Amino acid sequence: MEHKKKIQVKDLDFFYGENQVLYNINLDIPEKKVTALIGPSGCGKSTFLRCLNRMNDLIPGIKVRGKIILDGQDIYDTGVDVVKLRSKVGMVFQKPNPFPKSIFENVAYGFRIKGIKDKDFIDERVKTSLRMAGLWEEVHDRLSSSALGLSGGQQQRLCIARAVAVEPEVLLMDEPASALDPIATKKIEELIYELKKEFTIVIVTHNMQQAARVADYTAFFLMGKLIEFDKTENIFTSPRKKETEDYITGRFG
Amino acid sequence: MKKRSIQNSISKIIPMPLAFSPLWPFIPICNLRDFSLLLNKGRSPNTQIQGEGSLLSYKTKDNIIKYLFFLCALVSVLVLGLIVYFLFIEGVPIFKVVSFKDFLFGKYWYPTSDPPSFGILPLFLGSIYVTGLSSVFSIPLGVLTAIYLAEIANPKTRSIIKPIIELLAALPSVVIGFFGMVVVAPFLQKYLDLDTGLNMFNAALMLAFMSIPTICSISEDAIYSVPRELKEGSLALGATHLQTIIRVILPASISGISTGVILGMSRAIGETMVVLMVAGGAAMIPESIFDPVRPMPASIAAEMGEAPYHSEHYFALFAIGIVLFFLTLIFNLIADHISHKYKQVGASTL
Ligand SMILES: Nc1ncnc2c1ncn2[C@@H]1O[C@H](COP(=O)(O)OP(=O)(O)OP(=O)(O)O)[C@@H](O)[C@H]1O
Ligand SMILES: [Mg+2]
């Protein structure tokens, strides 16, 4: 790979209790590129993604083997500060999960927990983040109303704004556009295009065209195994593995 | 268990319907499926769909079932209505003897002296102070325990501690009162050098024991049911667990917690046996938390036996019942209001 590696995944196995769902994953995620994870439902994409910011730690009875090296440091080493890790590796979830707070407070949350008091700075960041997420026009006159009153798609863009506001180095997105209409989806894709100038992005998607449009690299998962990982154009035009081809062509009809 | 403790506190205002369970005979009939089976006995499913040949049309059956349910609901309402009605019939005559103002704000409760004095302020304040003091213990303990159980304890610890706390709710109040009397009272008397260990402090402590299970279990439920996604959303932004609890989980469950707190307090305010046994029973406005007091329920319970039927004293006791009824009613209305007001608007998931 000709790009600098941001994250190196080495021999990763993952278990929910006795149930192994990831098998020996080896993958290098390039810096400031978009990497798409594709594969059929239940193949372990979300699980893999949630390993990258140790979000799976919250689930009792999980077991992780192998290494995930972020900037030269194994994030599963003992003594790693998970809180620091997560402010470095942000996440947008499959289902929108705004806090039961105002729209403004949702986006400002990342600063509040860091104890940042500078009001002008926060105002400015909230505004730019909402702009980036393509939500500013719709909500600028009701920033203080509850985020739960937004539509599902708006909630999802709010969650994206919330995640980019704190400027993580890596942004994990789990099907961020699955609840959005084509226009909002296009906004998100443009946003991803903008974001990759500064951030490393890993995105799970079920939408092949979307992967083809936004991703520089694509990883194909099948039943907990990484089948193929390559530049997106290679995956979509000349896959080396038969499974990859079947999946992609199956999807395209 | 959870339902139970809510019912316990609600039954302070509506003691009869739950205790006497006038619903019992209806419950077997209320089983919707069995009931409609009964009506359709012997009919093939086919004729049912066509609606011909069935004994009764579906519409009629639906209506019958609807009215049956309505009747069941009506029984409780009716019983409550009857109780309130009698409470008023037996209580209101006292206001021919004393004005409402003198009754509520009179400082002297000497119902048997000559001439009698029917001022319930000492009893009213006794109730308020004891409940207030007990919530100073019960709210922090109950809510913090709830946070611990729902958020911090590992599943095993939780599965041990939670039933124990709920068992506390199952303890008969007379047992708690007994404990206060023979264990706590002598202890207080000895170590704080008091005239008597049967006082407001002791009663508040025992009442706190009684309301903690209610507060804890309703709050725990509310905290536990905060969607995992919310918590993850906060952690994913680099918040610590504590920050997540304080800034996301507690605000998201505040309505449940407040409901628990208020139901817990209304349980304390209506509790009779404990205050009868450990509050000391002096009908005076207390000056310190170690003074003996005589809260309203204790007065009713202690004096009802000796008050001659339809005497002024008798009417006065019922009038105290009316005051108590409105007090708990207010508490329950507040709880209801809060649980509606802070209900999340709009789904946070799709
Ligand atoms: N919390 C959990 N506990 C136990 N098993 C889980 C848990 N979450 C996921 N799994 C299992 O792990 C496997 C992979 O799930 P995962 O959510 O990673 O799939 P996915 O590729 O993201 O699917 P989708 O495209 O439908 O989101 C599935 O078989 C699932 O049943
Ligand atoms: Mg998934």
Side-chain angles (χ1 to χ4, degrees), chain A residues 7-250:
Chain A
I7 303 175
Q8 291 169 277
V9 180
K10 289 192 171 149
D11 303 325
L12 182 74
D13 291 322
F14 186 90
F15 302 77
Y16 287 113
E18 294 300 302
N19 182 18
Q20 183 164 10
V21 295
L22 291 178
Y23 298 85
N24 197 33
I25 308 287
N26 282 284
L27 181 68
D28 292 340
I29 293 168
E31 189 168 31
K32 295 188 182 171
K33 295 285 165 205
V34 178
T35 304
L37 311 178
I38 61 171
S41 190
C43 66
K45 306 180 295 293
S46 298
T47 304
F48 175 73
L49 198 70
R50 291 162 55 90
C51 283
L52 300 180
N53 66 346
R54 292 187 58 173
M55 203 41 97
N56 285 324
D57 289 16
L58 301 179
I59 300 167
I62 59 133
K63 199 164 75 195
V64 186
R65 271 203 308 249
K67 283 184 176 168
I68 297 180
I69 297 162
L70 170 73
D71 294 335
Q73 157 98 60
D74 182 1
I75 63 171
Y76 279 94
D77 258 356
T78 47
V80 165
D81 184 346
V82 184
V83 168
K84 271 209 188 102
L85 167 71
R86 289 183 188 141
S87 31
K88 215 166 146 181
V89 184
M91 183 163 206
V92 176
F93 294 80
Q94 199 160 354
K95 281 194 274 179
N97 56 350
F99 304 130
K101 297 175 184 287
S102 72
I103 294 171
F104 184 92
E105 281 306 317
N106 260 278
V107 186
Y109 187 81
F111 305 114
R112 300 267 185 257
I113 55 174
K114 297 258 151 16
I116 295 171
K117 294 265 157 49
D118 187 343
K119 196 175 170 308
D120 293 339
F121 170 79
I122 294 178
D123 283 352
E124 186 52 41
R125 286 298 307 162
V126 169
K127 193 170 164 181
T128 20
S129 311
L130 285 170
R131 277 239 168 78
M132 279 169 106
L135 194 58
W136 176 253
E137 296 304 323
E138 288 156 66
V139 302
H140 68 274
D141 52 354
R142 51 167 171 155
L143 290 177
S144 55
S145 57
S146 169
L148 302 180
L150 296 173
S151 78
Q154 289 173 326
Q155 289 186 0
Q156 186 62 313
R157 278 178 285 152
L158 183 68
C159 293
I160 293 175
R162 186 173 75 184
V164 298
V166 292
E167 301 186 298
E169 292 171 25
V170 181
L171 189 59
L172 311 174
M173 302 174 117
D174 196 343
E175 293 188 62
S178 64
L180 303 185
D181 67 17
I183 298 169
T185 304
K186 188 152 176 288
K187 279 187 188 156
I188 302 278
E189 288 179 10
E190 284 163 8
L191 166 65
I192 292 172
Y193 201 80
E194 279 303 304
L195 291 176
K196 77 171 179 180
K197 289 176 188 157
E198 292 167 58
F199 307 139
T200 304
I201 295 175
V202 186
I203 180 172
V204 172
T205 177
H206 274 137
N207 181 331
M208 293 301 117
Q209 289 99 322
Q210 187 173 60
R213 279 194 302 265
V214 302
D216 303 293
Y217 286 83
T218 297
F220 173 59
F221 282 75
L222 188 64
M223 292 173 48
K225 297 196 175 81
L226 176 64
I227 303 296
E228 192 167 348
F229 176 59
D230 206 339
K231 285 198 168 128
T232 300
E233 64 238 44
N234 294 348
I235 293 276
F236 281 95
T237 55
S238 52
R240 277 173 285 129
K241 295 269 172 53
K242 189 170 174 308
E243 293 99 318
T244 317
E245 192 177 346
D246 287 349
Y247 182 69
I248 289 165
T249 51

Side-chain angles (χ1 to χ4, degrees), chain B residues 24-47:
Chain B
W24 271 118
F26 290 95
I27 286 165
I29 308 176
C30 288
N31 189 325
L32 189 61
R33 214 157 59 102
D34 291 352
F35 188 62
S36 59
L37 277 178
L38 201 77
L39 290 179
N40 291 322
K41 215 158 102 189
R43 309 279 157 185
S44 75
N46 200 18
T47 51

Side-chain angles (χ1 to χ4, degrees), chain B residues 11-276:
Chain B
S11 69
K12 293 297 180 249
I13 30 169
I14 330 170
M16 286 275 278
L18 296 165
F20 285 16
S21 262
L23 298 182
W24 271 118
F26 290 95
I27 286 165
I29 308 176
C30 288
N31 189 325
L32 189 61
R33 214 157 59 102
D34 291 352
F35 188 62
S36 59
L37 277 178
L38 201 77
L39 290 179
N40 291 322
K41 215 158 102 189
R43 309 279 157 185
S44 75
N46 200 18
T47 51
Q48 281 178 28
I49 291 167
Q50 288 166 352
E52 296 165 11
S54 181
L55 199 59
L56 296 163
S57 81
Y58 259 101
K59 224 172 164 161
T60 323
K61 272 181 251 166
D62 265 6
N63 276 335
I64 294 178
I65 290 165
K66 213 159 81 188
Y67 286 123
L68 259 174
F69 276 99
F70 178 67
L71 224 75
C72 296
L74 207 64
V75 172
S76 309
V77 176
L78 219 77
V79 172
L80 173 65
L82 275 177
I83 292 174
V84 175
Y85 175 75
F86 276 107
L87 205 54
F88 273 81
I89 290 289
E90 303 288 58
V92 166
I94 191 64
F95 298 118
K96 288 186 203 135
V97 184
V98 289
S99 72
F100 180 69
K101 191 172 146 258
D102 286 345
F103 181 70
L104 210 55
F105 298 107
K107 286 200 185 102
Y108 303 102
W109 176 255
Y110 297 133
T112 49
S113 56
D114 196 23
S117 163
F118 295 110
I120 65 161
L121 193 65
L123 316 182
F124 185 81
L125 286 182
S127 274
I128 298 288
Y129 288 170
V130 165
T131 307
L133 187 60
S134 91
S135 50
V136 170
F137 305 122
S138 64
I139 294 175
L141 267 171
V143 174
L144 291 178
T145 311
I147 294 173
Y148 171 74
L149 286 180
E151 272 301 314
I152 298 164
N154 63 38
K156 187 145 176 269
T157 322
R158 180 171 187 265
S159 71
I160 296 170
I161 295 185
K162 210 178 165 215
I164 293 179
I165 289 174
E166 284 173 347
L167 201 66
L168 201 57
L171 273 185
S173 52
V174 68
V175 173
I176 295 188
F178 189 66
F179 176 76
M181 228 166 154
V182 303
V183 179
V184 182
F187 180 87
L188 287 178
Q189 193 175 6
K190 187 165 167 208
Y191 288 98
L192 297 177
D193 193 24
L194 302 169
D195 295 335
T196 168
L198 298 175
N199 56 29
M200 186 164 127
F201 183 81
N202 191 342
L205 215 57
M206 295 304 112
L207 287 182
F209 282 140
M210 299 203 60
S211 30
I212 282 172
T214 309
I215 296 176
C216 179
S217 120
I218 297 177
S219 306
E220 200 261 357
D221 216 30
I223 295 168
Y224 198 71
S225 62
V226 171
R228 204 187 73 191
E229 287 83 9
L230 269 190
K231 191 176 159 186
E232 290 185 345
S234 168
L235 293 172
L237 287 165
T240 63
H241 192 180
L242 190 64
Q243 285 172 327
T244 304
I245 290 174
I246 294 171
R247 288 171 181 268
V248 173
I249 293 175
L250 287 185
S253 53
I254 192 70
S255 85
I257 294 175
S258 323
T259 308
V261 163
I262 291 183
L263 287 180
M265 286 173 74
S266 89
R267 189 190 153 116
I269 209 164
E271 170 54 34
T272 307
M273 192 46 86
V274 165
V275 288
L276 189 62

